[in-house]
Amino acid sequence: MAIDGLIILDPAGRPIIQSSYSCYPTAYPMLHIEALNNALEKAPRGGSVDPVIYVAELSCSSACCHVEVGGMRFLATISEDADPLIAFAFLDTFIEILHDYFGTVNLATLKDNFDIVYQLLEETLDSSGHPLTTSQNALSDIVLPPTLISKLLASVSPSATGVPSGRQGGSFGLTGASGAFASPIPWRKAGVRHNHNEILFDVVEDMRAIVGKNGMTLVSNVFGKIESNAKLSGTPDLTLTFTNPSVMTDCAFHPCVRLQRWTRDNSLSFVPPEGRFILADYQYKPPQGAVISNVPIPLSLKANVDMGEFGGTFTLTLTSRSMKVMENVELELYLGEDATSAQCTLSSAGSGVGSVGSADGSWSFDSRKKMLRWEILNMRSSGSWILRGSWTSKIKAPRPAHAFQIRFEIPSFSFSSLKVDQLRLSGETYKMYKGVRMRSKGSLEWRW
Amino acid sequence: MSTQQGQDAKFFQRGKIEEFRAELQAAEAKDKKYQKRKTVLKKIVANITMGNDMSPLFHDVIQCIGTPLLEVKKMVYLFLISYGRSKPDQIHLVIPSFLQVSSSNFSRMSDHSNVLKDCNDPNPLIRALAIRTMSYIPIPVVTESLSDQLRHCLKDRDPYVRKTAAICVAKVYTADPRKAERKGFVELLRDMLIDDNATVVANAVAALSEIGDRQDGVIFKLNLTIANRLLAALGESSEWGQIYILDSLLRYVPEHHSDAEMMAERVIVQLQHANSAVVLTSIKALLYLMNYMENRRLIDYICRKMGPPLVTLLSSGPEVQYVALRNILLIIQRRPTVLKNDVKAFFCKYNDPIYVKLAKLEIMYRLAREENAREVLAELEEYASEVDVDFVRKAVRSIGRLAIKVEPAADKCIESLLKLIETKVTYVVQEAVIVTKDIFRRYPGKYEGIIPTLCENLDALDEPEAKAAMVWILGQFADRIENVDELLDDLVYNFLDEPAEVQLALLTAVVKLFIYKAQSEVTKALVHKVLKWATEDIDNPDLRDRGFMYWRMLAMNPSVAAEIVLAEKPAITTDSDRMDRGALDQLLLHTGTLGSIYHKNPETFIRNAAGRELVDSPALNANSRAVLVSLTRPQLPSTAISVQGPGPIEPTRPSLQPDEAANKTPQPILVESTRSDERDLLDVEGDDGAGGDSGDGYPDGDDDVAVVKAADPYAELGGAFGGYTTDAPQPVKGGGSRSGDLDDLLF
């Protein structure tokens, strides 16, 4: 159950920051870095390297788990009877923490703040591989975020040496820190105060679907998330109820949610953490007994692709089936390693007024990724858009992908029509501002 | 990056030791708010993180340890962690700073370097930091001084200190196990299992588990009371704490079915956790507890409950998906009802990384059965037209395996393979030929009509495996292929240059041909030529021996030779590519670990891993017991210390020592009677689900066979998942009798 340590590599594969592998031979981290770099080099196309790479060199065999963020590689080395999933969960958490501290995660910010990153590493991962404090609330007390440090530096004076005043570290949040750890609720520190109390919920539903050649939906899943942002004083105990909780199936909750209450009466009862967090994940499944068990897809694509020698022609028709306006509709087709160029014209049809123009969309061909991309920023309900074109290829029998990748967004809409009934607050007396927003998006694979 | 001139980026230049030393000394004189020291130390730490050796500064840096500024202190500690071990002769200089020298007067010391006695600092963060740093330095003089301090900290009033101290015990233990035991640290840790603070409990569990996983560590087992208390702490733990606690449930051996069942019901709730590692650890605990249950309906219910969270894991990033998929592959072999109806969740997307696609493909094949064979086949055909060669090959091969596994789908699969052969894409054709050979064996006399089509593509075959498969087909059906002698004659043209695999196939094929057409002069000449090559010009002993054997058989008694060479082959099945059940049971104890990724038990490929075994108890179900794999712990501590749970000792379950548990002989009669009850229950309900499962259920060989196999579970593991070549269909074992009643894997 142990993560040996964490290494951050720059885009060239050189280590920037690594945890202290004090219990390991000096070559140990290097071997893992090499194993990863070798695997990346061998990979035909970037990214398709096994996420768990077994390192057999040295007498102790281990593995490295890696993810890519902002061009850098974060790799966690694990050995013994370790769980790669814990490594990945930890990497995710750590990267999330970096985001919270620095806003963005890139080479420059990490180098500028290496001392904070290093401290974070020491606080979050114990040298024998146990993740320690990863809760944002507690961490910000032990390791000061960069903005706070600069503010405090001016005001702090080192108090009389050696006198155990207890107040000495106060301005460094030290007493607060013990407060955070002493708090019976690990995700929330005691004594938070806000002048303006509010909690916002963003319900985001994400459709993932595969549509077969014949236009029939093979698979479609809708994964929902309730993202929350809480700025509430004290210890607020909230109860969130829905008018139609049954649309949420296979739920997974933030640790703050009382699971027993959900099981009993389908209400979410919780003391929220401060700031942003994901309250719940769920899956939306259409009611049992429906003729079509798949969630209907809010657009349709008619694709005529004719493959010729050294290229081909296509006519693609996208039609909105949504009652709402769809935004940022994006269609991609990989034209094959040997594709050289593409030429297209855009037009739109149906529901009258549409005219050819930039407002209706744009297309491009990425000659490096060999990707044809078609974007429609704003797609009104039941309109049709057409892309006609051709592409050329270096080889006689071109091999484009047999699937279009389509992404879209629908603001103020949810597939499940999940509806919040009410949000009750107990344990505190103040009034709070409450807000709920819906948003949907999707990524489809449309085969032809 | 050169454009981004960050404030600290300049520290990344290679540091100069002397410069830093001078700066540190300068800082001693006039250092307002310790800012100078802080800046220098920051540079030094920056150099450490880059892997530059800063150890010559040891003496200078430790002078700063008394600085009453947390940031400075932290950096000194970071320095100590990096170099403390390599400076055993100087480390004693630091120890007084950590320690309180006299408990009555800890607040002020005259010597400036020993200003703060950090282990007794009023600030819990500093207390914790001090013991944590010390425990990182595995030098006897440090460990020695740490002992007393650690004991205090384990009972500190502040939970942050206690939880840190708990982890430190594991490190002290690593440094010297026997000494840590003598000093009573293990017992202290044990007492923390009933701490009020959930985080402390979780860390105590983590430390005890780490100790228990060592080959030379004390055995860490839980009794029912403690296991229940740990479960109660779940709700307030962080996700990491939950993982430790859930994982530790595998150290609890249920004595009664009801204990296991009650516990599982409390674990099921955790499947709703957002953290993927928590979910998978919960599943591991459930899979374990199911071994000790008898309530069939509950087991069924749990299996159903496990499916959706596993599918949800597939909506995560590709890395998590990959780990999840490898585990799912194991889980569905042992518990086929999990995800039984969810094959669609494993359909590959074009944009999936190749490692995800390959893992999904294997699961799709495992989940395929008559009801979904059409959908699965349609998907496989789709994949066979993709671009990635590796993926296409495996898709084609999966089509063939599907034909072998699901008889009603075989016709469609063959059609599809023929279509693929028409594409003339060489690697597609080769894969198709390889699987077709197995299909011929599985369905003798049914599909030989397609042989001419195969023969047309003979020239496309350039890979040994495909070539060997084609040669086998030619030899086996030599009586039905008109121009077979010509074809074989062409093929043996390069006999001496072929790889051994093809040579062996050719040798056998020409012998078969000769037996079919003994009159033909062409054939005679051909077989003579090949036998002569095999016995005279070839160095490979296998080939030579086989050549001699055929030659003599043909010379002594051709009719007996015919009987032997053309003997009826046992039917083949794909069921036996499933792993041995005993090994599966054991592997599933490692769900979510490296072992489950590589499908090997960790102790077989990772040094120092203690391994896990399913422990026998009266509650263990009979089928699991029959294939039980036991481990031997090679170096048990001579003075075995068994750690009992705190609180009252339960009279009925004292078996905390494994020896005792093992000596407890289960009562066969009791187990037998419960088993027959279950069967009755099943019959009353008319539950055909179990029968339906039997199609892809565990191939129920002789019980004896199973036990013998279980003795060496690793023997088959290497091959079982290595690749599709070793995963090929195997002859049916045990006479092919697959009776319905023991078959399903519920128990």
Side-chain angles (χ1 to χ4, degrees), chain A residues 1 14 16-18 20 22-24 45 47-54 59-61 63 66-67 78-86 88-90 93 107-108 111-115 118-119 122-123 126-128 130-134 142-143 149 153-154 156-159 161-164 166 168 172 174 177-178 181-182 184 186-187 208-210 213 218-219 223 250-255 259-260 262-263 281 283 294 334 399-403 405 443 445 447, chain B residues 1 4-9 11-12 33-35 38 42 45-46 48-50 68-71 74 78 81-82 85 106-108 115-116 122-125 129 132 136 158-160 163 167 171 197 199 203 206 210 235-240 243-244 247 269-277 280-281 308 312 314-315 318-320 322-323 344 347-351 354-355 379 382-383 385-388 427 590 592-594 597-598 602 605-609 612:
Chain A
M1 297 264 299
R14 287 183 304 255
I16 318 170
I17 296 174
Q18 62 185 49
S20 62
S22 50
C23 313
Y24 299 90
R45 271 178 297 167
S48 57
V49 180
D50 272 15
V52 183
I53 295 174
Y54 190 57
S59 53
C60 51
S61 32
H66 56 97
V67 291
I78 55 173
S79 63
E80 312 265 315
D81 184 9
D83 185 344
L85 214 47
I86 296 184
F88 287 122
F90 177 76
T93 312
L107 194 61
K111 281 200 165 185
D112 283 355
N113 298 292
F114 74 90
D115 57 325
Y118 199 54
Q119 284 184 53
E122 286 292 318
E123 280 308 326
D126 162 64
S127 80
S128 55
H130 303 289
L132 301 169
T133 315
T134 53
I142 322 175
V143 182
I149 287 185
L153 276 181
V156 171
S157 63
S159 55
T161 52
V163 181
Q168 177 220 342
F172 266 96
L174 296 186
S178 69
F181 289 111
W187 56 86
R208 317 259 178 103
I210 303 178
K213 281 193 173 95
L218 293 175
V219 195
F223 296 99
D250 305 335
C251 302
F253 300 109
H254 188 275
L259 298 174
Q260 304 291 356
W262 172 258
T263 317
D281 292 285
Q283 210 183 332
N294 287 319
Y334 174 67
R399 303 203 70 180
H402 275 257
Q405 306 297 327
S443 53
E445 166 161 331
R447 295 176 183 162
Chain B
M1 78 181 87
Q4 315 266 21
Q5 289 292 346
Q7 207 225 319
D8 288 328
F11 296 154
F12 266 80
K33 295 178 187 174
Y34 307 100
Q35 289 308 305
K38 201 179 107 182
K42 227 169 152 181
V45 170
I48 299 175
T49 58
M50 293 172 67
L69 186 64
L70 185 62
E71 280 193 290
K74 267 189 184 166
L78 290 178
I81 291 169
S82 305
R85 203 162 46 138
F106 62 80
S107 56
R108 190 175 282 273
V115 181
L116 263 183
N123 184 333
L125 274 183
L129 201 56
R132 198 168 87 197
Y136 282 176
D158 191 288
Y160 182 68
K163 86 174 185 123
I167 293 288
K171 294 203 192 61
N197 184 297
T199 316
N203 280 18
E210 193 184 328
E236 288 169 7
S237 302
S238 73
E239 56 261 59
W240 316 113
I243 292 169
Y244 301 139
D247 190 67
V269 188
Q270 296 300 322
L271 293 176
Q272 295 181 326
H273 202 287
N275 183 305
S276 52
L280 204 55
T281 314
T312 307
L314 298 182
S315 67
E319 295 87 10
V320 171
Y322 174 73
V323 180
K344 280 184 173 180
F347 285 4
C348 302
K349 288 195 174 174
Y350 187 81
N351 279 355
I354 182 71
Y355 53 83
E379 278 298 298
E382 193 68 40
Y383 307 154
S385 70
E386 271 199 26
V387 186
D388 190 294
Y427 56 85
H590 297 283
T593 67
L594 265 188
I597 300 288
Y598 297 107
F605 70 109
I606 299 173
R607 214 177 43 140
N608 275 337
R612 286 179 177 177

Side-chain angles (χ1 to χ4, degrees), chain B residues 22-267:
Chain B
E23 282 179 38
L24 272 179
Q25 279 161 1
E28 270 176 48
K30 202 177 168 190
D31 192 3
K32 207 178 171 202
K33 295 178 187 174
Y34 307 100
Q35 289 308 305
K36 282 188 196 163
R37 280 182 222 195
K38 201 179 107 182
T39 313
V40 186
L41 285 170
K42 227 169 152 181
K43 288 185 209 171
I44 296 172
V45 170
N47 274 282
I48 299 175
T49 58
M50 293 172 67
N52 297 335
D53 184 16
M54 292 283 122
S55 60
L57 288 168
F58 192 86
H59 196 78
D60 309 81
V61 171
I62 60 172
Q63 300 298 326
C64 303
I65 195 165
T67 313
L69 186 64
L70 185 62
E71 280 193 290
V72 170
K73 228 179 239 306
K74 267 189 184 166
M75 281 188 275
V76 177
Y77 285 159
L78 290 178
F79 186 90
L80 282 175
I81 291 169
S82 305
Y83 297 118
R85 203 162 46 138
S86 58
K87 299 280 176 188
D89 48 326
Q90 290 177 38
I91 197 79
H92 65 275
L93 295 172
V94 205
I95 292 172
S97 277
F98 283 121
L99 292 180
Q100 159 198 351
V101 180
S102 106
S103 56
S104 56
N105 176 27
F106 62 80
S107 56
R108 190 175 282 273
M109 291 283 294
S110 50
D111 182 358
H112 84 282
S113 73
N114 294 336
V115 181
L116 263 183
K117 304 300 155 259
D118 291 349
C119 285
N120 288 294
D121 194 280
N123 184 333
L125 274 183
I126 294 187
R127 292 204 295 278
L129 201 56
I131 51 164
R132 198 168 87 197
T133 308
M134 284 179 81
S135 72
Y136 282 176
I137 307 171
I139 295 176
V141 62
V142 181
T143 328
E144 193 57 43
S145 331
L146 178 62
S147 286
D148 286 336
Q149 219 49 58
L150 187 55
R151 194 168 294 126
H152 290 152
C153 287
L154 284 167
K155 294 180 173 164
D156 199 285
R157 67 194 134 73
D158 191 288
Y160 182 68
V161 179
R162 290 206 300 279
K163 86 174 185 123
T164 310
I167 293 288
C168 291
V169 171
K171 294 203 192 61
V172 170
Y173 194 93
T174 310
D176 187 345
R178 301 292 89 80
K179 203 171 190 176
E181 283 162 12
R182 277 201 306 280
K183 298 215 170 195
F185 277 125
V186 181
E187 282 82 354
L188 281 168
L189 211 47
R190 176 200 68 196
D191 293 341
M192 292 175 106
L193 291 177
I194 50 171
D195 198 283
D196 295 332
N197 184 297
T199 316
V200 176
V201 172
N203 280 18
V205 170
L208 280 170
S209 301
E210 193 184 328
I211 291 171
D213 279 341
R214 294 175 58 89
Q215 289 194 339
D216 57 354
V218 294
I219 292 158
F220 172 37
K221 282 187 179 285
L222 296 174
N223 61 23
L224 184 63
T225 322
I226 296 303
N228 277 328
R229 288 204 60 150
L230 293 182
L231 276 174
L234 271 182
E236 288 169 7
S237 302
S238 73
E239 56 261 59
W240 316 113
Q242 296 190 334
I243 292 169
Y244 301 139
I245 291 176
L246 287 166
D247 190 67
S248 74
L249 291 182
L250 272 68
R251 297 169 189 277
Y252 162 68
V253 181
E255 295 282 311
H256 302 284
H257 298 308
S258 55
D259 296 344
E261 285 158 10
M262 244 157 51
M263 199 159 287
E265 280 173 29
R266 297 177 70 174
V267 176

Side-chain angles (χ1 to χ4, degrees), chain B residues 201-466:
Chain B
V201 172
N203 280 18
V205 170
L208 280 170
S209 301
E210 193 184 328
I211 291 171
D213 279 341
R214 294 175 58 89
Q215 289 194 339
D216 57 354
V218 294
I219 292 158
F220 172 37
K221 282 187 179 285
L222 296 174
N223 61 23
L224 184 63
T225 322
I226 296 303
N228 277 328
R229 288 204 60 150
L230 293 182
L231 276 174
L234 271 182
E236 288 169 7
S237 302
S238 73
E239 56 261 59
W240 316 113
Q242 296 190 334
I243 292 169
Y244 301 139
I245 291 176
L246 287 166
D247 190 67
S248 74
L249 291 182
L250 272 68
R251 297 169 189 277
Y252 162 68
V253 181
E255 295 282 311
H256 302 284
H257 298 308
S258 55
D259 296 344
E261 285 158 10
M262 244 157 51
M263 199 159 287
E265 280 173 29
R266 297 177 70 174
V267 176
I268 287 178
V269 188
Q270 296 300 322
L271 293 176
Q272 295 181 326
H273 202 287
N275 183 305
S276 52
V278 174
V279 170
L280 204 55
T281 314
S282 307
I283 287 177
K284 169 160 65 170
L286 288 172
L287 287 167
Y288 167 74
L289 290 170
M290 276 196 269
N291 289 316
Y292 296 94
M293 292 184 195
E294 66 163 349
N295 183 338
R296 198 174 185 122
R297 263 189 249 200
L298 181 63
I299 295 178
D300 235 355
Y301 172 76
I302 295 173
C303 284
R304 270 205 313 279
K305 278 280 178 187
M306 285 195 301
L310 284 172
V311 172
T312 307
L313 289 182
L314 298 182
S315 67
S316 327
E319 295 87 10
V320 171
Q321 281 188 50
Y322 174 73
V323 180
L325 288 167
R326 296 296 289 173
N327 280 293
I328 289 171
L329 188 52
L330 274 184
I331 294 168
I332 58 174
Q333 287 182 75
R334 178 64 182 84
R335 303 278 172 194
T337 44
V338 179
L339 297 170
K340 194 173 159 198
N341 298 316
D342 288 307
V343 73
K344 280 184 173 180
F346 301 97
F347 285 4
C348 302
K349 288 195 174 174
Y350 187 81
N351 279 355
D352 282 338
I354 182 71
Y355 53 83
V356 167
K357 283 183 178 175
L358 293 177
K360 279 184 174 176
L361 195 58
E362 192 138 358
I363 293 172
M364 281 173 63
Y365 160 71
R366 303 254 169 206
L367 289 176
R369 55 205 167 93
E370 191 176 344
E371 289 83 347
N372 59 24
R374 248 176 47 140
E375 287 169 295
V376 173
L377 179 60
E379 278 298 298
L380 293 175
E381 286 173 341
E382 193 68 40
Y383 307 154
S385 70
E386 271 199 26
V387 186
D388 190 294
V389 176
D390 220 20
F391 184 55
V392 170
R393 302 184 81 119
K394 285 187 176 160
V396 175
R397 211 173 270 212
S398 297
I399 295 177
R401 289 170 69 202
L402 182 67
I404 294 165
K405 179 178 177 181
V406 184
E407 188 163 358
D411 285 356
K412 290 266 175 216
C413 293
I414 297 287
E415 266 175 44
S416 157
L417 284 174
L418 284 175
K419 258 187 264 163
L420 287 169
I421 289 173
E422 276 169 31
T423 64
K424 306 273 181 194
V425 180
T426 54
Y427 56 85
V428 173
V429 174
Q430 312 214 39
E431 284 300 327
V433 168
I434 294 167
V435 286
T436 309
K437 175 197 129 184
D438 289 329
I439 295 175
F440 286 156
R441 278 199 66 183
R442 170 73 172 80
Y443 304 109
K446 214 169 158 194
Y447 297 112
E448 283 84 1
I450 69 168
I451 289 176
T453 319
L454 299 182
C455 291
E456 283 165 27
N457 291 282
L458 208 54
D459 297 336
L461 310 179
D462 54 9
E463 288 163 25
E465 200 191 354

